[in-house]
Amino acid sequence: MTKKILAFALAALMAFALVGCDNAAEGEVLTMGTNAAFPPYEFVGENNEVAGIDAEIAAAVAEKMGMKLEIKDMAFDSLITAVSTGAVDVVLAGMTVTEERKESVNFSDSYATGIQVVIVTEDSAIASLDDLAGKKIGVQTGTTGDIYCSGDYGEDAVARYDNGALAVAALQNGQVDCVVIDNEPAKAFVEANEGLKLLDTEYAVEDYAAAIAKENTDLLDKFNAALAELKEEGKIDEIIAKYIKA
Ligand code: ARG
């Protein structure tokens, strides 16, 4: 009887140890910061999980590095601080490479292109960038859209919102005359909402890349190596094509 119990206890212990081993074999966790209100790059999908191009690219990169991806959703304008202080390992957020951001973080090789575009209501008199003078422009706080518009049209011309969807809601309510945002989210917002259209104009063409802390050059090298392999394998194109129909 006691032998049986002992054998049982031993078996249970071994099963436990095995589970422990399994976890260790999964490897380290790579934490990614993002702002998941930017479809199709990141959005909250099924089961409240962050889905989209950036989430899938980061997961593929993490897998290549033998790591497990964990995503933290936060305000866009806190992402650079989060990565440079080590609260997250990497940021993928449809984030544009800019000289100013490069003073705080390193950027990986680019994995996509973004274009700043203008959303207006269908009946809008605004037809080109020149018409934006004197108008109220909705932007997401801290984005390049915010930075360019504040510079080109003045601080007072810009109304800042926590995310693109709120800026678009403000456009529909008549609180702003247009929204300046990246082209793919812009298309998604125009599709999902009645009475909106895109101006046929490119305000700025930009490169998206992952941001990594300055001192974490080891991760930067590994990330770039994994990304290069994924590009070569056609995996990056595949992920993008899944979300963006040509
Ligand atoms: N590309 C723009 C920037 O870097 C906007 C990115 C916004 N991304 C987001 N996940 N909300 O400033």
Side-chain angles (χ1 to χ4, degrees):
M1 189 66 169
T2 35
K3 249 189 199 164
K4 238 185 201 168
I5 290 173
L6 206 73
F8 194 76
L10 216 79
L13 209 80
M14 274 166 67
F16 216 78
L18 268 178
V19 169
C21 278
D22 232 345
N23 272 343
E26 267 176 28
E28 270 178 83
V29 171
L30 179 76
T31 50
M32 159 184 148
T34 197
N35 172 247
F38 198 70
Y41 288 94
E42 43 266 336
F43 53 92
V44 179
E46 276 168 46
N47 310 321
N48 249 2
E49 281 190 38
V50 177
I53 294 170
D54 286 337
E56 290 205 26
I57 290 178
V61 167
E63 197 188 336
K64 281 240 182 258
M65 299 191 301
M67 296 172 90
K68 203 177 154 253
L69 183 71
E70 212 173 273
I71 300 180
K72 289 187 186 169
D73 189 11
M74 58 186 83
F76 183 78
D77 63 344
S78 62
L79 288 168
I80 293 281
T81 307
V83 73
S84 50
T85 57
V88 295
D89 300 316
V90 61
V91 165
L92 276 85
M95 185 175 272
T96 303
V97 178
T98 71
E99 289 308 314
E100 201 193 335
R101 288 172 183 164
K102 272 193 199 166
E103 287 173 17
S104 315
V105 293
N106 282 331
F107 280 103
S108 72
D109 294 330
S110 179
Y111 60 84
T113 302
I115 303 169
Q116 295 300 311
V117 297
V118 186
I119 310 176
V120 294
T121 52
E122 259 164 11
D123 58 359
S124 177
I126 300 173
S128 74
L129 287 171
D130 294 334
D131 300 332
L132 292 195
K135 296 290 190 300
K136 202 80 182 166
I137 308 167
V139 296
Q140 180 180 18
T141 310
T143 58
T144 48
D146 179 1
I147 296 160
Y148 301 151
C149 290
S150 306
D152 291 348
Y153 302 99
E155 285 285 326
D156 291 346
V158 168
R160 300 190 170 95
Y161 297 91
D162 283 348
N163 59 55
L166 288 173
V168 168
L171 173 61
Q172 289 182 299
N173 294 337
Q175 287 161 318
V176 297
D177 301 303
C178 66
V179 169
V180 170
I181 193 166
D182 305 49
N183 58 329
E184 288 304 331
K187 277 192 231 160
F189 289 132
V190 167
E191 250 170 54
N193 295 280
E194 292 270 296
L196 301 179
K197 67 176 185 189
L198 286 182
L199 288 192
D200 185 19
T201 177
E202 297 185 350
Y203 190 176
V205 179
E206 319 180 305
D207 289 324
Y208 291 167
I212 293 172
K214 285 256 187 213
E215 54 276 13
N216 209 350
T217 51
D218 187 47
L219 179 61
L220 181 69
D221 293 344
K222 284 185 188 155
F223 190 101
N224 278 333
L227 184 64
E229 277 182 36
L230 289 164
K231 281 182 184 172
E232 222 174 89
E233 292 162 13
K235 183 72 187 168
I236 301 296
D237 286 343
E238 191 184 300
I239 292 170
I240 292 174
K242 181 174 156 189
Y243 291 93
I244 301 174
K245 303 289 166 231

